[in-house]
Amino acid sequence: MAILEVSGVYKSFGGNLVLENVGMQAELGQVTSLIGPNGAGKSTLLNIISGFLKADSGAVRMNGREIAGYPPFKCFKAGIARTFQDSQVLPYMTGLDNVVVSSPGQRGEMEHNALFRPWVVAAEERERRAEAMAHLASLDIESKAASLSQALSYGQQKLLEFARMLNSRAQVFLLDEPMAGIHPDLIEGLSKMIRAAATEHGKAVILVEHNLKVVMDVSDYVVVVRGEVVVEGPPSEVEKDERLASAFLGFVSNAAT
Ligand SMILES: Nc1ncnc2c1ncn2[C@@H]1O[C@H](COP(=O)(O)OP(=O)(O)OP(=O)(O)O)[C@@H](O)[C@H]1O
Ligand SMILES: [Mg+2]
């Protein structure tokens, strides 16, 4: 069963209809890619799923529960984490602290423990730091644990953002153009991490990406949008479908960036 289900979503800005009856699903352990030309409505859809925008109509269900209209923090609590087209890390915190603060508190009795059982809090804190460190290590950026994240390169900040998501225990990852602006040498590694988020960590990943080779390599399922869903299916099928090319016709693409 799909953990996330979007159906019948409409969204317009002013008189401009951007999403028209859009539906898609995401499953745990799978990478579902959302592709389409510039202005097709991909980021708008991610914004709706994560609560940053409200759809005019339509449903967004997480684990079968309607979440359309939830504000971002409630979507996050429901298990949806996202990246933005620009990297979003906490610049004045170290790499390690950036990851540590992304995990939810373990127990509701934090204050009680802090006052009466401080050793419990200390043990929990050690555990959380070890876990955060393991995520940094799995992304090969453990050497940046003590650096302020503003001192990291753009590509390293993207990896740090990814470590924050892995640590957050969210079940659905929304990735908006994670490869954009990244050094070409890092693309393969980042692709592997995206794949691993699904295969090893069991997340449901929704990937918005202009690099079609990456998309076809890492996806289990591909949805092509241009205001509405144009064609969808396994990458091997979508790749051959003439509707893929026609969806991109007539648009100025910045796919090379
Ligand atoms: N907050 C907003 N107010 C008005 N128009 C908006 C807003 N957000 C997006 N749009 C418009 O909606 C359309 C879809 O934008 P969106 O950012 O979702 O496209 P996209 O598929 O993510 O494109 P890209 O590949 O360039 O990132 C565009 O025409 C855009 O100008
Ligand atoms: Mg976009």
Side-chain angles (χ1 to χ4, degrees), residues 37-251:
N38 297 122
K42 306 178 298 292
S43 296
T44 300
L45 187 59
L46 294 196
N47 283 330
I48 287 170
I49 295 171
S50 54
F52 287 84
L53 280 174
K54 277 200 173 95
D56 299 335
S57 60
V60 181
R61 289 198 193 83
M62 179 70 182
N63 285 313
R65 206 169 90 206
E66 180 62 65
I67 59 161
Y70 274 26
F73 79 94
K74 282 187 85 176
C75 292
F76 181 68
K77 271 189 142 176
I80 299 171
R82 66 166 301 173
T83 63
F84 291 83
Q85 262 176 270
D86 302 319
S87 174
Q88 302 261 329
V89 293
L90 304 164
Y92 302 111
M93 274 191 186
T94 65
L96 182 62
D97 286 339
N98 255 280
V99 179
V100 170
V101 299
S102 70
S103 86
Q106 299 293 307
R107 286 171 206 145
E109 61 222 35
M110 279 293 259
E111 287 88 355
H112 176 87
N113 278 338
L115 285 171
F116 301 110
R117 300 195 299 164
W119 60 90
V120 172
V121 176
E124 239 175 44
E125 177 73 11
R126 270 197 303 278
E127 217 174 275
R128 290 177 72 186
R129 295 182 85 77
E131 204 177 324
M133 201 62 198
H135 286 303
L136 291 177
S138 78
L139 300 175
D140 273 336
I141 46 170
E142 71 266 47
S143 63
K144 304 298 174 190
S147 315
L148 285 186
S149 60
Q150 63 174 358
L152 304 186
S153 75
Y154 183 74
Q156 290 163 341
Q157 289 189 15
K158 287 265 183 183
L159 295 177
L160 185 55
E161 209 182 348
F162 208 74
R164 283 165 56 81
M165 287 179 99
L166 286 173
N167 200 53
S168 73
R169 291 182 185 78
Q171 292 172 292
V172 175
F173 283 12
L174 310 179
L175 308 177
D176 200 349
E177 298 192 29
M179 310 285 172
I182 244 177
H183 193 277
D185 289 352
L186 291 175
I187 287 182
E188 203 187 323
L190 196 52
S191 298
K192 283 202 182 114
M193 278 158 213
I194 291 169
R195 194 57 247 170
T199 309
E200 285 164 35
H201 299 274
K203 310 295 181 180
V205 179
I206 298 182
L207 171 68
V208 170
E209 180 53 54
H210 280 290
N211 184 329
L212 285 188
K213 183 176 181 324
V214 168
V215 167
M216 298 304 171
D217 282 351
V218 306
S219 310
D220 298 287
Y221 198 80
V222 177
V223 180
V224 184
V225 285
R226 180 174 169 175
E228 53 192 341
V229 175
V230 177
V231 55
E232 61 182 297
S236 55
E237 286 175 22
V238 169
E239 206 170 17
K240 289 183 296 202
D241 199 297
E242 56 191 21
R243 287 169 292 180
L244 171 65
S246 66
F248 284 87
L249 286 179
F251 276 79

